[in-house]
């Protein structure tokens, strides 16, 4: 009973989180600031750090706010179980690769084509759930996944405007690179999500301990990425250049995303996660149209 409640609560929070993240990011991009823009690589690191900190707080709460119990759990479950901890390096490394692939995809494809193609992850997730978790899906379930994928793809379908200058600049070669990147990202999203689900559901450790393990690797990979991409800029203007109130909101929402996705994977599953994020794509499109008035639906 409690777990059914948690299932719908986590799915509801995921819809809220994804919708507000998209809208805040969109709003922060249209806002004209005067200083340098914040570094995306730095935002990733800060979000990862916030996520670990919150998970440590949740483990602390689960152990009646005892500092001694907290440090003993962290030592026992993380330091003294290096193999269990190392298992999380796999999804963490794949997520890091995926986040970079999506960057490659967005640099070579227009945003709408990217969004439409990325919906294929709904199907890859279902395929990995069947092959790795032995889940069985009936004809109607496969059919609803296909309809969901087609529906979300249609909502995002690019308007057919021949005079779109952005589109003309994209050569066939770069479109191919973008397409390959997004297709690999669809596979990695499905695999990493289902791998994390398998670890959560087949072992006894708490979801928050698992998330700390995942986040630790994410933090290390993120710091490497940040120094490799933006090392020079950080030396000049620091890691927090261009941060404002909105940046902190985006970072906090991103950190919340990691926590909620973990809860959704634990209490529901990756397939339901796909439904929740699709619902939020439709919601943010509607809000964007009615409130921000910046979306023109195609006919
Ligand atoms: O597109 P997809 O649903 O695969 O994206 C999942 C995102 O959630 C990734 O960016 C990943 O870094 C993040 N994540 C997380 N914590 C988890 C699981 C996923 O931060 N436990």
């Amino acid at each position: 009973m409690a777990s059914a409640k948690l299932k719908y609560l986590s799915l509801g929070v995921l819809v809220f989180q994804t919708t507000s993240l998209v809208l805040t990011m969109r709003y922060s991009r249209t806002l004209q600031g005067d200083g340098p823009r914040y570094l995306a690589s730095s935002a990733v690191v800060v979000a990862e750090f916030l996520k670990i900190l919150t998970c440590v707080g949740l483990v602390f709460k689960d152990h009646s706010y005892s500092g001694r119990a907290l440090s003993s759990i962290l030592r026992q479950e993380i330091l003294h179980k290096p193999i269990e901890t190392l298992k999380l390096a796999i999804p963490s490394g794949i997520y890091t690769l995926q986040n970079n692939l999506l960057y490659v995809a967005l640099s070579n494809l227009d945003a709408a084509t990217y969004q439409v193609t990325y919906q294929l992850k709904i199907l890859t997730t279902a395929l990995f759930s069947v092959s790795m978790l032995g889940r069985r899906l009936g004809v109607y379930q496969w059919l609803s996944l296909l309809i969901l994928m087609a529906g979300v793809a249609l909502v995002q379908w690019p308007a057919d405007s021949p005079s779109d200058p952005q589109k003309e600049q994209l050569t066939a070669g770069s479109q191919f690179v973008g397409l390959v990147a997004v297709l690999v990202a669809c596979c990695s999203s499905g695999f990493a999500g289902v791998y994390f689900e398998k670890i959560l559901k087949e072992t006894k450790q708490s979801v928050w301990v698992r998330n700390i393990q995942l986040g630790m690797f994410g933090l290390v990979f993120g710091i490497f990425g940040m120094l490799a991409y933006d090392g020079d800029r950080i030396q000049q203007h620091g890691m927090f250049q261009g941060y404002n109130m909105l940046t902190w909101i985006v970072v906090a929402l991103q950190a919340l995303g990691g926590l909620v996705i973990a809860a959704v994977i634990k209490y529901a599953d990756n397939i339901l996660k796909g439904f929740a994020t699709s619902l939020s794509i439709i919601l943010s499109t509607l809000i964007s149209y009615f409130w921000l008035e910046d979306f023109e639906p195609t006919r």
Side-chain angles (χ1 to χ4, degrees), residues 14 44 47-48 51 88 91-92 94-96 98-99 102 114 118 121 125 185-186 188-193 196 200 207-208 210-212 214-215 218 254-263 265 270 273-274 277:
L14 183 62
V44 169
E48 209 67 52
K51 215 171 68 181
L88 273 296
S92 180
I94 291 176
Y95 276 138
T96 309
Q98 176 182 321
N99 293 338
L102 294 181
Y114 154 85
Y118 197 36
K121 73 176 175 176
T125 302
C186 284
S188 82
S189 165
F191 177 79
F196 189 69
L200 273 187
V207 56
W208 307 128
R210 286 307 196 184
N211 234 22
I212 295 173
L214 187 78
Q254 240 157 4
L256 177 69
L259 298 172
V260 179
I261 285 178
I265 293 178
N270 272 291
K273 165 178 162 282
T277 36

Side-chain angles (χ1 to χ4, degrees), residues 37-56:
R37 215 168 231 244
Y38 73 88
L39 305 170
S41 63
S42 142
V44 169
V45 169
V46 177
E48 209 67 52
F49 181 72
L50 275 184
K51 215 171 68 181
I52 298 176
L53 214 61
T54 316
C55 290
V56 171

